[in-house]
Coordinates of all heavy atoms in Angstrom, one line a residue:
M1 N 1.0 26.4 22.3 CA 1.9 25.3 21.8 C 2.8 24.9 22.9 O 3.6 25.7 23.4 CB 2.6 25.8 20.5 CG 3.4 24.8 19.8 SD 2.8 24.6 18.2 CE 4.1 23.6 17.4
T2 N 2.8 23.7 23.3 CA 3.7 23.2 24.3 C 5.1 22.7 23.7 O 5.2 22.6 22.5 CB 3.1 22.0 25.1 OG1 3.0 20.9 24.2 CG2 1.8 22.4 25.6
L3 N 6.0 22.5 24.6 CA 7.3 22.0 24.1 C 7.1 20.6 23.4 O 7.7 20.4 22.4 CB 8.2 21.8 25.3 CG 9.7 21.5 25.1 CD1 10.3 22.6 24.2 CD2 10.4 21.2 26.3
A4 N 6.2 19.8 23.9 CA 6.0 18.5 23.3 C 5.4 18.7 21.9 O 5.9 18.0 21.0 CB 5.0 17.7 24.2
D5 N 4.5 19.6 21.7 CA 4.0 19.9 20.4 C 5.1 20.3 19.4 O 5.1 19.9 18.3 CB 2.9 21.0 20.4 CG 1.7 20.6 21.1 OD1 1.3 19.4 21.0 OD2 1.0 21.4 21.8
E6 N 6.0 21.1 19.9 CA 7.1 21.6 19.1 C 8.0 20.4 18.7 O 8.5 20.3 17.6 CB 8.0 22.6 19.8 CG 7.3 24.0 19.7 CD 8.1 25.0 20.6 OE1 9.3 24.9 20.7 OE2 7.4 25.9 21.1
R7 N 8.3 19.5 19.7 CA 9.1 18.4 19.4 C 8.4 17.5 18.4 O 9.1 16.9 17.4 CB 9.4 17.6 20.7 CG 10.3 18.3 21.6 CD 10.9 17.3 22.6 NE 11.7 16.2 22.1 CZ 11.9 15.1 22.7 NH1 11.5 14.9 23.9 NH2 12.7 14.2 22.1
I8 N 7.1 17.3 18.5 CA 6.4 16.4 17.6 C 6.5 17.0 16.2 O 6.7 16.3 15.2 CB 4.9 16.3 18.0 CG1 4.9 15.5 19.3 CG2 4.1 15.6 17.0 CD1 3.5 15.5 20.0
E9 N 6.3 18.4 16.1 CA 6.4 19.0 14.8 C 7.7 18.8 14.2 O 7.8 18.5 13.0 CB 6.1 20.5 15.0 CG 4.7 20.9 15.0 CD 3.9 20.5 13.7 OE1 4.5 20.7 12.6 OE2 2.8 20.0 13.9
R10 N 8.8 19.0 15.0 CA 10.1 18.8 14.4 C 10.4 17.4 14.0 O 11.0 17.2 12.9 CB 11.1 19.2 15.5 CG 12.5 19.5 14.9 CD 13.4 20.3 15.8 NE 12.7 21.3 16.6 CZ 12.9 21.5 17.9 NH1 13.8 20.7 18.6 NH2 12.3 22.4 18.5
L11 N 9.9 16.4 14.8 CA 10.1 15.0 14.4 C 9.3 14.7 13.1 O 9.8 13.9 12.3 CB 9.7 14.1 15.5 CG 10.7 14.1 16.7 CD1 10.0 13.5 17.9 CD2 11.9 13.4 16.3
H12 N 8.2 15.3 13.0 CA 7.4 15.1 11.8 C 8.1 15.6 10.5 O 8.2 15.0 9.5 CB 6.0 15.9 11.9 CG 5.1 15.7 10.7 ND1 4.6 16.8 10.0 CD2 4.7 14.6 10.1 CE1 3.9 16.3 9.0 NE2 3.9 15.0 9.0
A13 N 8.7 16.8 10.7 CA 9.5 17.4 9.6 C 10.7 16.5 9.2 O 11.0 16.3 8.1 CB 10.0 18.8 9.9
L14 N 11.4 16.0 10.3 CA 12.5 15.2 10.1 C 12.1 13.9 9.4 O 12.8 13.4 8.5 CB 13.2 14.8 11.4 CG 14.0 15.9 12.1 CD1 14.3 15.6 13.5 CD2 15.3 16.2 11.3
A15 N 11.0 13.3 9.8 CA 10.5 12.1 9.2 C 10.2 12.3 7.7 O 10.6 11.5 6.8 CB 9.2 11.6 9.9
A16 N 9.6 13.4 7.4 CA 9.2 13.8 6.0 C 10.5 13.9 5.2 O 10.6 13.4 4.0 CB 8.4 15.0 5.9
D17 N 11.5 14.6 5.7 CA 12.8 14.8 5.0 C 13.5 13.5 4.8 O 13.9 13.2 3.7 CB 13.7 15.7 5.8 CG 13.3 17.2 5.7 OD1 12.4 17.5 4.9 OD2 13.9 18.0 6.4
A18 N 13.5 12.7 5.8 CA 14.2 11.4 5.7 C 13.5 10.5 4.6 O 14.2 9.9 3.8 CB 14.2 10.6 7.0
A19 N 12.2 10.5 4.7 CA 11.4 9.7 3.7 C 11.6 10.1 2.3 O 11.8 9.3 1.4 CB 9.9 9.7 4.1
S20 N 11.7 11.5 2.1 CA 11.8 11.9 0.7 C 13.3 11.7 0.2 O 13.5 11.7 -0.9 CB 11.4 13.4 0.6 OG 12.3 14.2 1.3
A21 N 14.2 11.6 1.2 CA 15.6 11.2 0.8 C 15.8 9.7 0.6 O 16.9 9.3 0.3 CB 16.6 11.8 1.8
G22 N 14.7 9.0 0.8 CA 14.8 7.5 0.7 C 15.2 6.8 1.9 O 15.5 5.6 1.8
H23 N 15.4 7.5 3.0 CA 15.8 6.8 4.2 C 14.6 6.3 5.0 O 14.3 6.9 6.0 CB 16.7 7.7 5.1 CG 17.9 8.2 4.4 ND1 18.9 7.4 3.9 CD2 18.3 9.5 4.2 CE1 19.8 8.1 3.3 NE2 19.5 9.4 3.5
D24 N 14.0 5.3 4.5 CA 12.7 4.9 5.1 C 12.9 4.4 6.6 O 12.0 4.7 7.4 CB 12.1 3.7 4.3 CG 11.6 4.3 3.0 OD1 11.4 5.5 2.9 OD2 11.3 3.5 2.1
D25 N 14.0 3.7 6.9 CA 14.2 3.3 8.3 C 14.3 4.4 9.2 O 13.8 4.4 10.3 CB 15.4 2.4 8.3 CG 15.2 1.0 7.7 OD1 14.0 0.7 7.5 OD2 16.1 0.3 7.3
R26 N 15.1 5.4 8.8 CA 15.3 6.6 9.6 C 14.0 7.3 9.8 O 13.6 7.7 10.9 CB 16.3 7.5 9.0 CG 16.9 8.5 10.0 CD 18.0 9.3 9.3 NE 19.0 8.6 8.7 CZ 19.9 9.1 7.8 NH1 19.8 10.4 7.5 NH2 20.8 8.3 7.2
A27 N 13.2 7.4 8.8 CA 11.9 8.1 8.9 C 11.0 7.4 9.9 O 10.3 8.0 10.7 CB 11.2 8.1 7.5
R28 N 11.1 6.0 9.9 CA 10.3 5.2 10.8 C 10.7 5.5 12.2 O 9.8 5.6 13.1 CB 10.5 3.8 10.4 CG 9.6 2.8 11.1 CD 9.7 1.4 10.6 NE 8.9 1.2 9.5 CZ 9.3 0.7 8.3 NH1 10.5 0.3 8.1 NH2 8.4 0.5 7.3
E29 N 12.0 5.7 12.5 CA 12.5 6.0 13.8 C 11.9 7.3 14.3 O 11.5 7.4 15.4 CB 14.0 6.1 13.8 CG 14.7 4.7 13.7 CD 14.2 3.7 14.7 OE1 14.1 4.1 15.9 OE2 13.9 2.6 14.4
Y30 N 11.9 8.3 13.4 CA 11.3 9.6 13.8 C 9.8 9.5 14.1 O 9.3 10.1 15.0 CB 11.6 10.6 12.7 CG 13.0 11.0 12.5 CD1 13.6 11.1 11.3 CD2 13.8 11.4 13.6 CE1 14.9 11.4 11.1 CE2 15.1 11.8 13.5 CZ 15.7 11.8 12.2 OH 17.0 12.2 12.1
V31 N 9.1 8.7 13.3 CA 7.7 8.5 13.5 C 7.5 7.9 14.9 O 6.6 8.3 15.7 CB 7.1 7.6 12.4 CG1 5.6 7.2 12.8 CG2 7.0 8.3 11.1
R32 N 8.3 6.9 15.2 CA 8.1 6.2 16.5 C 8.4 7.2 17.7 O 7.7 7.2 18.7 CB 9.1 5.0 16.6 CG 8.6 3.9 15.8 CD 9.4 2.6 16.1 NE 8.9 1.6 15.2 CZ 9.6 0.7 14.5 NH1 10.9 0.8 14.5 NH2 9.1 -0.2 13.7
L33 N 9.5 8.0 17.5 CA 9.9 8.9 18.5 C 8.7 9.9 18.8 O 8.4 10.2 19.9 CB 11.1 9.7 18.1 CG 12.5 9.2 18.6 CD1 13.6 10.0 18.0 CD2 12.5 9.4 20.2
A34 N 8.2 10.4 17.7 CA 7.1 11.4 17.8 C 5.9 10.8 18.5 O 5.3 11.4 19.3 CB 6.7 11.9 16.4
R35 N 5.6 9.5 18.2 CA 4.5 8.9 18.8 C 4.7 8.8 20.3 O 3.8 8.9 21.1 CB 4.3 7.5 18.2 CG 3.7 7.5 16.9 CD 2.6 6.5 16.8 NE 1.9 6.7 15.5 CZ 2.0 5.8 14.5 NH1 2.8 4.8 14.6 NH2 1.4 6.1 13.3
R36 N 6.0 8.4 20.7 CA 6.3 8.3 22.1 C 6.2 9.6 22.8 O 5.7 9.7 23.9 CB 7.8 7.7 22.2 CG 7.9 6.8 23.4 CD 9.3 6.1 23.4 NE 9.6 5.4 22.1 CZ 10.8 5.3 21.6 NH1 11.8 5.8 22.3 NH2 11.0 4.7 20.5
V37 N 6.7 10.7 22.2 CA 6.6 12.0 22.8 C 5.1 12.3 23.0 O 4.7 12.8 24.1 CB 7.3 13.1 21.9 CG1 7.0 14.5 22.5 CG2 8.8 12.9 21.8
A38 N 4.3 12.1 22.0 CA 2.9 12.4 22.1 C 2.2 11.6 23.3 O 1.5 12.1 24.1 CB 2.2 12.1 20.8
E39 N 2.6 10.3 23.3 CA 2.0 9.5 24.4 C 2.4 10.0 25.8 O 1.5 10.1 26.6 CB 2.6 8.1 24.2 CG 1.5 7.0 24.1 CD 2.2 5.7 23.6 OE1 3.0 5.2 24.3 OE2 1.9 5.3 22.5
R40 N 3.7 10.2 25.9 CA 4.2 10.5 27.2 C 3.6 11.8 27.7 O 3.4 12.1 28.9 CB 5.7 10.6 27.2 CG 6.4 10.3 28.5 CD 7.9 10.5 28.4 NE 8.5 9.5 27.6 CZ 9.5 9.9 26.7 NH1 9.9 11.1 26.6 NH2 10.1 8.9 26.0
N41 N 3.3 12.7 26.8 CA 2.8 14.0 27.1 C 1.3 14.2 26.9 O 0.7 15.3 27.1 CB 3.5 15.1 26.4 CG 5.0 15.2 26.7 OD1 5.4 15.8 27.7 ND2 5.8 14.5 25.9
R42 N 0.7 13.1 26.6 CA -0.7 13.1 26.3 C -1.2 14.1 25.3 O -2.2 14.8 25.5 CB -1.5 13.3 27.6 CG -1.1 12.2 28.7 CD -2.1 12.1 29.7 NE -1.7 11.2 30.7 CZ -2.5 10.9 31.8 NH1 -3.6 11.5 32.0 NH2 -2.1 10.0 32.7
R43 N -0.4 14.2 24.3 CA -0.8 15.1 23.2 C -1.3 14.2 22.1 O -0.8 13.1 21.9 CB 0.5 15.9 22.7 CG 1.3 16.5 23.7 CD 0.5 17.6 24.5 NE 0.0 18.6 23.7 CZ -0.8 19.6 24.1 NH1 -1.2 19.6 25.3 NH2 -1.2 20.5 23.3
S44 N -2.2 14.7 21.3 CA -2.6 13.9 20.2 C -1.7 14.4 19.0 O -1.3 15.5 18.9 CB -4.1 14.1 19.8 OG -4.4 15.4 19.6
L45 N -1.4 13.5 18.1 CA -0.6 13.8 16.9 C -1.4 14.7 16.0 O -2.6 14.5 15.9 CB -0.2 12.5 16.2 CG 0.8 11.6 17.0 CD1 0.9 10.3 16.3 CD2 2.1 12.3 17.0
P46 N -0.8 15.6 15.3 CA -1.5 16.4 14.4 C -2.1 15.5 13.3 O -1.6 14.5 13.0 CB -0.4 17.3 13.8 CG 0.8 17.1 14.5 CD 0.6 15.9 15.4
R47 N -3.2 16.0 12.7 CA -3.9 15.2 11.7 C -3.0 14.8 10.5 O -3.0 13.7 10.1 CB -5.1 16.0 11.2 CG -5.8 15.3 10.1 CD -6.9 16.2 9.5 NE -8.1 16.2 10.4 CZ -9.3 16.4 10.0 NH1 -9.5 16.7 8.7 NH2 -10.3 16.4 10.8
R48 N -2.2 15.8 10.1 CA -1.3 15.5 9.0 C -0.4 14.3 9.3 O 0.0 13.5 8.5 CB -0.4 16.8 8.7 CG -0.9 17.7 7.8 CD 0.1 18.9 7.6 NE 0.5 19.4 8.9 CZ 1.8 19.5 9.3 NH1 2.7 19.1 8.5 NH2 2.1 20.0 10.5
F49 N 0.1 14.3 10.6 CA 1.0 13.3 11.0 C 0.3 11.9 10.9 O 0.8 10.9 10.4 CB 1.5 13.6 12.4 CG 2.7 12.7 12.8 CD1 3.9 13.3 13.0 CD2 2.6 11.4 12.9 CE1 5.0 12.6 13.4 CE2 3.7 10.6 13.3 CZ 4.9 11.2 13.5
K50 N -0.9 11.9 11.5 CA -1.7 10.6 11.5 C -1.9 10.1 10.1 O -1.8 8.9 9.8 CB -3.0 10.9 12.1 CG -2.9 10.8 13.6 CD -4.3 10.8 14.2 CE -4.3 11.3 15.7 NZ -5.5 11.9 16.1
R51 N -2.2 11.0 9.2 CA -2.5 10.6 7.8 C -1.3 10.1 7.1 O -1.5 9.2 6.2 CB -3.1 11.8 7.0 CG -4.4 12.3 7.5 CD -5.5 11.3 7.3 NE -6.6 11.6 8.3 CZ -7.6 12.3 8.0 NH1 -7.8 12.9 6.9 NH2 -8.6 12.4 8.9
F52 N -0.2 10.5 7.5 CA 1.0 10.1 6.7 C 1.9 9.2 7.4 O 3.1 9.1 7.2 CB 1.8 11.4 6.2 CG 1.1 12.1 5.1 CD1 0.4 13.3 5.4 CD2 1.0 11.5 3.9 CE1 -0.3 13.9 4.4 CE2 0.3 12.2 2.8 CZ -0.4 13.4 3.1
S53 N 1.3 8.5 8.4 CA 2.1 7.5 9.1 C 1.3 6.2 9.2 O 0.1 6.3 9.4 CB 2.7 7.9 10.4 OG 1.6 8.3 11.3
C54 N 1.9 5.0 9.1 CA 1.2 3.8 9.2 C 1.1 3.3 10.7 O 2.1 3.3 11.4 CB 1.9 2.7 8.4 SG 1.2 1.1 8.6
D55 N -0.1 3.0 11.1 CA -0.4 2.6 12.4 C 0.3 1.3 12.8 O 0.7 1.0 13.9 CB -1.9 2.4 12.7 CG -2.5 3.7 13.2 OD1 -1.7 4.6 13.7 OD2 -3.7 3.8 13.2
A56 N 0.4 0.4 11.7 CA 0.9 -0.9 12.0 C 2.4 -1.0 12.0 O 3.0 -1.6 12.8 CB 0.4 -1.9 10.9
C57 N 3.1 -0.3 11.1 CA 4.6 -0.5 11.0 C 5.3 0.8 11.1 O 6.5 0.9 11.0 CB 4.9 -1.1 9.6 SG 4.7 0.0 8.2
D58 N 4.6 1.9 11.5 CA 5.2 3.2 11.7 C 5.9 3.8 10.5 O 6.7 4.8 10.7 CB 6.2 3.1 12.9 CG 5.5 2.8 14.2 OD1 4.3 3.3 14.4 OD2 6.1 2.1 15.0
A59 N 5.7 3.3 9.4 CA 6.3 3.9 8.2 C 5.8 5.3 8.0 O 4.6 5.6 8.2 CB 6.1 3.1 7.0
Y60 N 6.6 6.2 7.5 CA 6.2 7.5 7.0 C 5.7 7.4 5.6 O 6.5 7.0 4.7 CB 7.3 8.6 7.1 CG 6.7 10.0 6.9 CD1 6.1 10.7 8.0 CD2 6.7 10.6 5.7 CE1 5.6 11.9 7.8 CE2 6.2 11.8 5.5 CZ 5.6 12.5 6.5 OH 5.1 13.7 6.4
L61 N 4.4 7.6 5.4 CA 3.8 7.2 4.1 C 4.0 8.3 3.0 O 3.8 9.5 3.3 CB 2.3 7.0 4.3 CG 2.0 5.8 5.2 CD1 0.5 5.7 5.4 CD2 2.6 4.5 4.7
R62 N 4.4 7.8 1.9 CA 4.5 8.8 0.7 C 3.7 8.2 -0.4 O 4.1 7.2 -1.0 CB 6.0 8.9 0.3 CG 6.7 9.6 1.5 CD 7.9 10.3 1.0 NE 8.9 9.4 0.4 CZ 9.5 9.7 -0.8 NH1 9.2 10.9 -1.4 NH2 10.3 8.9 -1.3
P63 N 2.6 8.8 -0.7 CA 1.7 8.2 -1.8 C 2.5 8.0 -3.1 O 3.3 8.8 -3.5 CB 0.7 9.3 -1.9 CG 0.6 10.0 -0.6 CD 2.1 10.0 -0.1
G64 N 2.3 6.8 -3.6 CA 2.9 6.5 -4.9 C 4.3 5.8 -4.7 O 4.9 5.3 -5.6
R65 N 4.8 5.9 -3.5 CA 6.1 5.3 -3.2 C 5.9 4.1 -2.2 O 6.3 3.0 -2.6 CB 7.1 6.2 -2.7 CG 8.4 6.2 -3.5 CD 9.5 6.8 -2.8 NE 10.5 5.8 -2.5 CZ 10.8 5.6 -1.2 NH1 10.3 6.2 -0.2 NH2 11.7 4.7 -1.0
N66 N 5.4 4.3 -1.0 CA 5.3 3.2 -0.1 C 3.8 3.0 0.3 O 3.6 2.3 1.3 CB 6.2 3.3 1.0 CG 6.0 4.5 1.9 OD1 5.1 5.3 1.6 ND2 6.8 4.7 2.9
C67 N 2.9 3.7 -0.3 CA 1.5 3.4 0.0 C 0.6 3.8 -1.2 O 1.1 4.5 -2.1 CB 1.1 4.2 1.2 SG 0.9 6.0 0.9
R68 N -0.6 3.2 -1.2 CA -1.5 3.5 -2.3 C -2.7 4.3 -1.7 O -3.1 4.0 -0.6 CB -2.1 2.2 -2.9 CG -1.0 1.4 -3.5 CD -1.7 0.3 -4.3 NE -3.0 -0.2 -3.8 CZ -4.0 -0.5 -4.5 NH1 -3.9 -0.4 -5.8 NH2 -5.1 -0.9 -3.9
V69 N -3.1 5.3 -2.4 CA -4.3 6.1 -2.0 C -5.4 5.9 -3.0 O -5.2 6.2 -4.1 CB -3.9 7.6 -1.9 CG1 -5.1 8.4 -1.4 CG2 -2.7 7.8 -0.9
R70 N -6.5 5.5 -2.4 CA -7.7 5.3 -3.3 C -8.9 5.9 -2.6 O -8.9 6.0 -1.4 CB -8.0 3.8 -3.5 CG -6.9 3.1 -4.3 CD -6.9 3.5 -5.8 NE -5.8 2.8 -6.5 CZ -4.6 3.1 -6.6 NH1 -4.2 4.2 -6.0 NH2 -3.7 2.4 -7.3
T71 N -9.9 6.3 -3.3 CA -11.2 6.7 -2.7 C -12.2 5.6 -2.9 O -12.2 4.9 -3.9 CB -11.7 8.0 -3.3 OG1 -11.9 7.9 -4.7 CG2 -10.7 9.2 -3.0
Q72 N -13.0 5.5 -1.9 CA -14.0 4.4 -1.9 C -15.2 4.8 -1.0 O -15.0 5.0 0.2 CB -13.4 3.1 -1.5 CG -14.2 1.9 -1.7 CD -13.5 0.7 -1.0 OE1 -12.4 0.7 -0.7 NE2 -14.3 -0.4 -0.8
D73 N -16.4 4.9 -1.6 CA -17.6 5.2 -0.7 C -17.4 6.3 0.2 O -17.8 6.2 1.4 CB -18.0 3.9 0.1 CG -18.2 2.7 -0.8 OD1 -18.6 2.9 -2.0 OD2 -17.9 1.6 -0.4
G74 N -16.9 7.4 -0.3 CA -16.8 8.6 0.6 C -15.6 8.5 1.6 O -15.5 9.3 2.5
H75 N -14.7 7.5 1.4 CA -13.6 7.4 2.2 C -12.3 7.5 1.4 O -12.3 7.0 0.2 CB -13.5 6.1 3.0 CG -14.5 6.0 4.1 ND1 -15.8 5.8 3.9 CD2 -14.4 6.1 5.4 CE1 -16.5 5.7 5.0 NE2 -15.6 6.0 6.0
V76 N -11.3 8.0 2.0 CA -9.9 7.9 1.4 C -9.3 6.6 2.0 O -9.3 6.5 3.3 CB -9.0 9.1 1.7 CG1 -7.7 8.9 1.1 CG2 -9.7 10.3 1.2
V77 N -8.9 5.7 1.2 CA -8.3 4.4 1.8 C -6.8 4.5 1.5 O -6.4 4.5 0.3 CB -9.0 3.2 1.1 CG1 -8.3 1.9 1.7 CG2 -10.5 3.2 1.3
I78 N -6.0 4.4 2.5 CA -4.6 4.4 2.3 C -4.1 3.1 2.7 O -4.3 2.6 3.8 CB -3.9 5.5 3.2 CG1 -4.5 6.9 2.8 CG2 -2.4 5.5 3.1 CD1 -3.9 8.0 3.6
T79 N -3.4 2.4 1.7 CA -2.9 1.1 1.9 C -1.4 1.2 2.0 O -0.7 1.5 1.0 CB -3.3 0.1 0.8 OG1 -4.7 0.2 0.6 CG2 -2.9 -1.3 1.1
C80 N -0.8 0.8 3.1 CA 0.6 0.8 3.3 C 1.2 -0.4 2.6 O 0.5 -1.4 2.4 CB 1.0 0.8 4.8 SG 2.7 0.7 5.2
D81 N 2.5 -0.3 2.3 CA 3.2 -1.5 1.7 C 3.1 -2.7 2.6 O 3.2 -3.8 2.1 CB 4.6 -1.1 1.4 CG 4.8 -0.5 0.0 OD1 3.7 -0.4 -0.7 OD2 5.9 -0.1 -0.4
C82 N 3.0 -2.5 3.9 CA 2.9 -3.6 4.8 C 1.5 -4.3 4.8 O 1.3 -5.3 5.4 CB 3.2 -3.2 6.3 SG 1.9 -2.3 7.1
G83 N 0.6 -3.7 4.1 CA -0.7 -4.3 3.9 C -1.8 -3.7 4.8 O -3.0 -4.0 4.7
S84 N -1.4 -2.9 5.7 CA -2.3 -2.2 6.6 C -3.1 -1.1 5.9 O -2.5 -0.4 5.1 CB -1.6 -1.7 7.8 OG -2.3 -0.7 8.5
Q85 N -4.4 -1.0 6.2 CA -5.2 0.0 5.6 C -5.8 1.0 6.6 O -6.1 0.6 7.7 CB -6.4 -0.7 4.8 CG -6.0 -1.4 3.6 CD -7.2 -1.8 2.8 OE1 -8.3 -2.0 3.3 NE2 -7.0 -1.8 1.4
A86 N -5.8 2.2 6.2 CA -6.5 3.2 7.0 C -7.5 3.9 6.2 O -7.3 4.1 5.0 CB -5.4 4.2 7.6
R87 N -8.7 4.2 6.8 CA -9.8 4.8 6.1 C -10.1 6.1 6.7 O -10.3 6.1 7.9 CB -11.0 3.9 6.0 CG -10.7 2.6 5.3 CD -11.8 1.5 5.7 NE -13.1 2.0 5.3 CZ -13.7 2.0 4.1 NH1 -13.0 1.4 3.1 NH2 -14.9 2.4 3.9
Y88 N -10.3 7.1 5.9 CA -10.7 8.4 6.5 C -11.8 8.9 5.6 O -11.8 8.9 4.4 CB -9.5 9.4 6.4 CG -8.3 8.9 7.0 CD1 -7.2 8.5 6.3 CD2 -8.1 8.9 8.4 CE1 -6.0 8.1 6.9 CE2 -7.0 8.5 9.0 CZ -5.9 8.1 8.2 OH -4.8 7.6 8.8
P89 N -12.9 9.3 6.3 CA -14.0 9.9 5.6 C -13.6 11.3 5.0 O -12.8 12.0 5.6 CB -15.1 10.0 6.6 CG -14.4 10.1 7.9 CD -13.1 9.3 7.7
Y90 N -14.2 11.6 3.9 CA -14.0 13.0 3.4 C -15.3 13.5 2.9 O -16.3 12.8 2.7 CB -13.0 13.0 2.2 CG -13.4 12.4 0.9 CD1 -14.1 13.1 0.0 CD2 -13.1 11.1 0.7 CE1 -14.5 12.5 -1.2 CE2 -13.6 10.5 -0.5 CZ -14.3 11.2 -1.4 OH -14.7 10.6 -2.6
R91 N -15.4 14.8 2.8 CA -16.6 15.4 2.3 C -16.3 16.3 1.1 O -15.3 16.9 1.0 CB -17.2 16.3 3.3 CG -17.7 15.6 4.5 CD -18.7 16.4 5.3 NE -18.0 17.2 6.3 CZ -18.6 18.0 7.1 NH1 -19.9 18.3 7.0 NH2 -18.0 18.7 8.0
Ligands
ZN1 ZN1 2.6 -0.2 7.3

């Protein structure tokens, strides 16, 4: 685990906390920061992080609050409030 990984983990936790406290803008800032850290250090974001953040608007996603989660043809489809959709296959 590198320092960058640790920072990403911490930012992920902060984003989750901020989002659950209703501070969506702050959560978004943490998501952006974590993405930047990952980019600069060429780390990939943990899967959990990818699943719970919107690629288009960087929102930290909370099912039932700012995104919809549906299953369709063997995929989980996550629709952010901004309209962006992400699809992940599941087995
Ligand atoms: Zn979005």
Side-chain angles (χ1 to χ4, degrees):
M1 187 119 167
T2 67
L3 188 62
D5 290 325
E6 280 172 34
R7 287 195 65 198
I8 292 167
E9 277 301 318
R10 195 163 325 136
L11 287 165
H12 181 235
L14 286 168
D17 284 351
S20 66
H23 302 302
D24 290 342
D25 289 341
R26 200 177 304 164
R28 191 172 272 130
E29 289 305 314
Y30 290 132
V31 169
R32 284 190 183 135
L33 263 174
R35 288 228 172 104
R36 215 172 306 150
V37 171
E39 233 167 65
R40 209 185 291 137
N41 297 277
R42 302 198 183 181
R43 312 298 301 173
S44 57
L45 290 170
R47 176 185 280 207
R48 270 180 310 125
F49 195 113
K50 279 189 198 151
R51 295 295 156 91
F52 289 104
S53 55
C54 174
D55 269 344
C57 72
D58 295 325
Y60 190 82
L61 300 176
R62 298 205 299 135
R65 233 196 111 245
N66 60 0
C67 70
R68 298 191 328 142
V69 180
R70 297 289 183 269
T71 56
Q72 191 186 342
D73 304 328
H75 287 79
V76 179
V77 181
I78 300 182
T79 309
C80 175
D81 273 356
C82 78
S84 160
Q85 287 192 332
R87 297 164 58 84
Y88 306 104
Y90 70 87
R91 293 197 270 179

